[in-house]
Structures are given as C-alpha cells and as structure tokens.
C-alpha cells in the first residue's frame, strides 16, 4: 500500500490562542475598545426597541416614567414632521434643521435609557419585537465585536502561527484529496482495463462459439480445451483484478482513516472554542449582573445621600434664619454697648476736666495763700524797722 502522510501537529502558539486562560484583554486600550463596542450594541438594541415602544406608548408609559414618555412623544412628533417634509418638497434648510433636532432627541433618549439600565433590561424582555432589517445589522455588529475580541486576544506572532497552521492543514487536505483522486482514477482505469479484457475475451469466446457451431462434430475436443483455457485465463484475470482492487481499497481506507482523524482533531478544536465562547458569555453575563447590582446599590446610596442632603439643607435654612435673628440681636447689643461706652468715655472726659479744673483751682488757691502769707511777713518786717 501507499505510505500515509504524517499527521499535522498543532503549533504551540495556536494552542496558546485556544487556551481559555488567554480570554482576557491584557491592555487598557483593548478594554476601552470592547466597552465602546458593548455600549454601541446596547444603543442599537435600545434604538430598535424605541419604534415599538412609541407604537404602544400608553401601555409602557407607567413603566417609562414622565420624563422619558414626554421625550418619546416629542420624538414621535419630530419623526412625523420629518416624514412630512420628505414627502413634500420644501425648504431644504428647514428639513435639515428638523433632522438635526430629531438626532438630538434620539441622543437624549438614549442617555436617559443608559442612565437607567434596569429599565432597559425590563423593556428588553417586555417588548415583543418582530424580525426586522435592524436585527441583521445588530447581529452583524455583535459578530464584529466578537471578531474584534478575537483579534485583540491574539498577538501578531500567534496570528501568524494560526494562519500558517491552517495553511498547512489545507495543503495536507489538498494533498490527500489529490492522492484519493489519483487512486480513484487508477481504480477506474484498472476496472476499465479489466472490463475491456473481459469484453475482448467474451468476443473471443463468441467468435470461438461461432466457429464451434460450424465445427461442432469435428472439433468438440478442441473447443472444450479452448473454453477451459479461456475460463482459466478469465479467472486469473479476475483474481488479478480483485487483488488490484483490494490493494486500492486498502489505500483508500487508510486515506479515509487519516482524513477522519483530521476531522476529529478539528472537531476537538471546535469543541474547545465553543467551551471558551460559553465561558466568555457566562463571564459577560456575570459582569452585567454585577454591574446592575453595583448600580442599584449606588442608586440607593445616592437616594439616601440626596434625602440626607435635603434634610440638612432644611436644617441649614432654619439655622440661617436663627443666625439672621441672632445677628440682628448681636448688632443691637453691639450698638447699645457702643453707646454705653461712648457715655462712659464722655463721663471719664468730664471727670478728667473736673479734676483738671480742681487741680488748677487748688494750685491757684495755694499760690494765693503763699502770696498772702509772704505779703503779711513783708509788712511785719517793715514795721519793725521803723520802730527802731
């Protein structure tokens, strides 16, 4: 038989790509790209739901709330206005202005939905949307996201190894296919040769039978001998042909076994990839649930802080009013203290003037007494001198 081709070995880089441990982006840029793609998918799904929500707005108004309901009503009016402007030729500038308003309205609605992820998930399972061309676009974008994830998780060296591995497999499959085709052609040619030989022998036998019919009586022994030789030769040819067919069948079975082995190997690789895909989907679902839980907790904490802030704001307002009253009282008390201090200072100044005046009077009085005593002494001295 023919030698079977050597089995294709999976390169180490390709096995590393297929390893589930590698299914995590190893850079901030990759995480940001995936975040942008995931947010875009959510926006596309929300946009897909908006048309059906507007069609049954009364049914979902209580669930949506007054703000989103009013935005949707405004968006519906703008849509009708744009359709009217498109159906009837008119001012191109007005139509562009209305279309710009419609785009802004859609962006605002998307912001409101993204700010409330619980509402979006509730509507996703509540609204029954029929198949539409938008589904094809969303599905294609999701496939694009998965393709980007695979590209982000694959390094250039691993990508080269993977491509080289696939090329080697393709070449080996092509080689095996060519070999099978060559063997089948050889088998067909052998069968055709055997059939031609059998046909030739049959014709010879027919010719001999024709001759024997003419020479039945005189050549019966020769005819029997010829027939025996013909049958013997036919059996030998058939045995040789069967051996050749058996050998070719054995080669075909070996090639088919190798081909089945390759198919099983690729199926195993496909199973590994499917398991990795399921694991990634579970991981994404877990992170989405964790995100929803965290956002719910943060929303509850925000509401508690908002209530505490409102309560403290009311207390601050009361304290500000009390502060204003106390400030007014303090101002009045300060004014009274100032006036009292001015009176005390005035009294002190008056007391000082009185003390200065009394001091001056006392000094004047003492000077007067001294002068009076001195004058009296002078007069007495003059009297004594005249007596002598």
């Amino acid at each position: 038989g023919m030698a079977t081709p050597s089995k294709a070995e999976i390169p180490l880089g390709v096995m590393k790509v297929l390893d589930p441990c590698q299914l995590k982006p190893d850079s901030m840029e990759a995480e940001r790209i995936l975040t942008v793609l995931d947010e875009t998918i959510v926006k596309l799904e929300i946009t897909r739901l908006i048309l059906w929500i507007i069609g049954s707005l009364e049914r979902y108004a209580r669930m949506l709330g007054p703000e989103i309901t009013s935005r949707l009503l405004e968006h519906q009016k703008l849509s009708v206005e744009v359709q009217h402007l498109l159906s009837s030729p008119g001012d191109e500038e007005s139509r562009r202005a209305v279309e710009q308003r419609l785009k802004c309205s859609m962006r605002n609605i998307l912001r409101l939905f993204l700010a409330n992820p619980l509402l979006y998930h509730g509507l996703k399972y509540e609204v029954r949307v029929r198949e539409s061309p938008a589904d094809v676009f969303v599905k294609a974008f999701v496939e694009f996201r998965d393709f980007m994830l695979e590209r982000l998780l694959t390094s250039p060296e691993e990508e080269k190894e993977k491509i080289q591995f696939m090329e080697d497999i393709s070449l080996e499959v092509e080689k095996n296919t060519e070999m099978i085709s060559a063997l089948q052609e050889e088998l067909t040619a052998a069968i055709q040769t055997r059939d031609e030989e059998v046909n030739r022998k049959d014709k010879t036998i027919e010719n001999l039978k024709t001759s024997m019919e003419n020479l039945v009586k005189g050549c019966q022994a020769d005819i029997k001998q010829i027939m025996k030789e013909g049958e013997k030769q036919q059996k030998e040819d058939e045995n040789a042909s069967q051996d050749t067919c058996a050998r070719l069948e054995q080669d075909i079975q070996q090639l088919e076994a190798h081909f089945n082995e390759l198919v099983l190997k690729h199926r195993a690789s496909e199973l590994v990839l499917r398991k990795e895909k399921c694991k990634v989907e579970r991981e994404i679902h877990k992170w989405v649930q964790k995100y929803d839980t965290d956002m719910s907790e943060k929303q509850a904490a925000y509401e508690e802080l908002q209530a505490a802030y409102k309560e403290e704001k009311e207390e601050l307002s009361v304290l500000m009013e009390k502060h204003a009253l106390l400030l007014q009282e303090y101002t009045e008390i300060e004014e009274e203290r100032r006036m009292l201090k001015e009176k005390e200072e005035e009294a002190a100044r008056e007391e000082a003037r009185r003390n200065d005046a009394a001091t001056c009077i006392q000094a004047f009085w003492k000077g007067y007494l001294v002068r009076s005593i001195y004058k009296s002494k002078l007069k007495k001295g003059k009297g004594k001198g005249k007596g002598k």
Side-chain angles (χ1 to χ4, degrees):
M2 299 180 63
T4 57
S6 61
K7 298 182 180 179
E9 295 182 357
I10 301 178
L12 182 61
V14 178
M15 293 302 297
K16 186 177 180 182
V17 173
L18 302 179
D19 188 3
C21 298
Q22 300 295 324
L23 287 176
K24 291 184 180 179
D26 55 354
S27 65
M28 185 65 68
E29 290 77 6
E31 292 181 0
R32 290 176 179 172
I33 291 171
L34 292 178
T35 302
V36 170
L37 293 176
D38 291 336
E39 290 180 355
T40 305
I41 292 172
V42 173
K43 290 180 181 179
L44 290 173
E45 292 180 349
I46 293 173
T47 306
R48 172 173 163 269
L49 293 176
I50 285 176
L51 179 62
W52 301 97
I53 294 173
I54 291 176
S56 304
L57 193 57
E58 295 180 357
R59 177 182 176 186
Y60 303 107
R62 185 174 180 182
M63 185 176 181
L64 294 170
E67 184 177 2
I68 298 180
T69 303
S70 61
R71 292 282 187 178
L72 290 175
L73 288 173
E74 181 182 356
H75 185 76
Q76 185 179 16
K77 293 179 181 178
L78 290 174
S79 299
V80 173
E81 187 174 352
V82 169
Q83 291 177 359
H84 178 70
L85 290 174
L86 290 174
S87 61
S88 59
D91 189 3
E92 185 69 19
E93 185 176 355
S94 300
R95 184 178 64 81
R96 286 198 296 268
V98 174
E99 288 179 350
Q100 188 65 29
R101 288 169 55 197
L102 184 65
K103 294 177 181 178
C104 293
S105 175
M106 177 59 72
R107 284 196 293 269
N108 293 330
I109 292 171
L110 289 175
R111 291 192 187 102
L112 292 174
F113 274 100
L114 291 175
N116 193 353
L118 295 177
L119 175 61
Y120 157 66
H121 287 292
L123 289 173
K124 185 177 179 181
Y125 295 103
E126 181 71 19
V127 180
R128 295 291 182 265
V129 181
R130 293 194 298 270
E131 292 289 335
S132 64
D135 297 333
V136 179
F137 181 75
V138 173
K139 184 177 179 182
F141 199 87
V142 171
E143 293 177 355
F144 172 72
R145 185 261 182 201
D146 295 336
F147 173 74
M148 288 299 298
L149 174 61
E150 183 180 356
R151 292 302 300 272
L152 291 172
L153 294 176
T154 305
S155 64
E157 293 78 9
E158 294 170 350
E159 183 69 21
K160 290 179 180 178
E161 290 182 0
K162 184 178 179 181
I163 293 173
Q164 185 63 39
F165 173 71
M166 296 305 294
E167 290 179 354
D168 294 340
I169 291 296
S170 300
L171 289 174
E172 188 170 354
V173 171
E174 184 178 357
K175 186 188 298 183
N176 292 335
T177 304
E178 292 177 355
M179 190 177 298
I180 291 172
S181 300
L183 290 173
Q184 288 179 347
E185 290 177 357
E186 185 178 350
L187 177 61
T188 304
I191 293 173
Q192 184 176 0
T193 303
R194 186 197 64 182
D195 292 338
E196 291 177 354
E197 185 69 20
V198 170
N199 291 330
R200 187 176 62 81
K201 295 293 183 181
D202 290 338
K203 289 180 180 179
T204 303
I205 292 171
E206 289 294 332
N207 293 330
L208 291 174
K209 284 181 178 180
T210 304
S211 299
M212 283 190 298
E213 288 178 356
N214 296 326
L215 302 172
V216 172
K217 294 180 180 181
C219 303
Q220 287 182 355
D222 296 336
I223 291 172
K224 289 180 180 180
Q225 185 66 30
I226 291 172
M227 289 181 67
K228 287 180 181 181
E229 292 178 357
E231 290 176 356
K232 183 179 180 181
Q233 185 65 33
Q234 184 178 0
K235 288 180 180 180
E236 290 177 356
D237 293 339
E238 288 179 355
N239 291 331
S241 177
Q242 288 176 358
D243 293 337
T244 304
C245 291
R247 179 175 55 81
L248 294 176
E249 287 291 338
Q250 184 178 3
D251 293 339
I252 291 172
Q253 288 176 0
Q254 290 178 354
L255 292 174
E256 287 180 350
H258 182 62
F259 177 76
N260 292 330
E261 183 179 355
L262 292 176
V263 170
L264 292 175
K265 184 183 296 184
H266 289 302
R267 285 180 180 174
S269 301
E270 182 182 1
L271 181 60
V272 172
L273 293 175
R274 288 183 181 274
K275 289 181 179 179
E276 293 173 358
K277 181 180 178 184
C278 293
K279 182 177 180 180
V280 171
E281 290 177 352
R282 289 195 298 271
E283 189 73 17
I284 291 172
H285 183 67
K286 182 178 72 176
W287 279 106
V288 168
Q289 289 181 346
K290 185 177 182 299
Y291 174 78
D292 294 339
T293 304
D294 293 342
M295 291 305 295
S296 300
E297 293 176 356
K298 290 181 180 179
Q299 182 68 23
Y302 171 75
E303 292 176 355
E304 291 178 0
L305 292 174
Q306 187 71 16
Y309 170 75
K310 186 175 181 182
E311 184 179 353
E312 291 180 359
K313 188 175 181 181
E314 292 176 355
E315 293 178 358
L316 178 63
S317 177
V318 174
L319 292 175
M320 290 295 290
E321 293 178 358
K322 291 182 179 180
H323 178 266
L325 294 175
L326 292 174
L327 183 63
Q328 185 177 0
E329 293 177 1
Y330 174 76
T331 305
E332 293 176 357
I333 292 171
E334 286 293 323
E335 185 65 23
E336 291 177 359
R337 287 180 179 176
R338 187 184 63 78
M339 293 177 66
L340 182 60
K341 186 176 181 180
E342 289 180 355
K343 288 180 181 180
E344 290 177 355
E345 291 176 354
E346 184 65 26
R349 286 195 296 271
E350 185 66 25
E351 184 70 23
R353 284 196 299 272
R354 289 178 181 177
N355 292 332
D356 292 340
T359 302
C360 184
I361 292 171
Q362 289 176 359
F364 180 78
W365 175 252
K366 288 179 181 180
Y368 174 73
L369 289 177
V370 171
R371 287 193 297 273
S372 297
I373 295 171
Y374 184 70
K375 285 180 180 180
S376 64
K377 287 182 178 182
L378 287 177
K379 287 178 179 182
K380 288 180 180 181
K382 289 179 179 181
K384 289 180 179 182
K386 289 177 179 182
K388 292 178 180 181

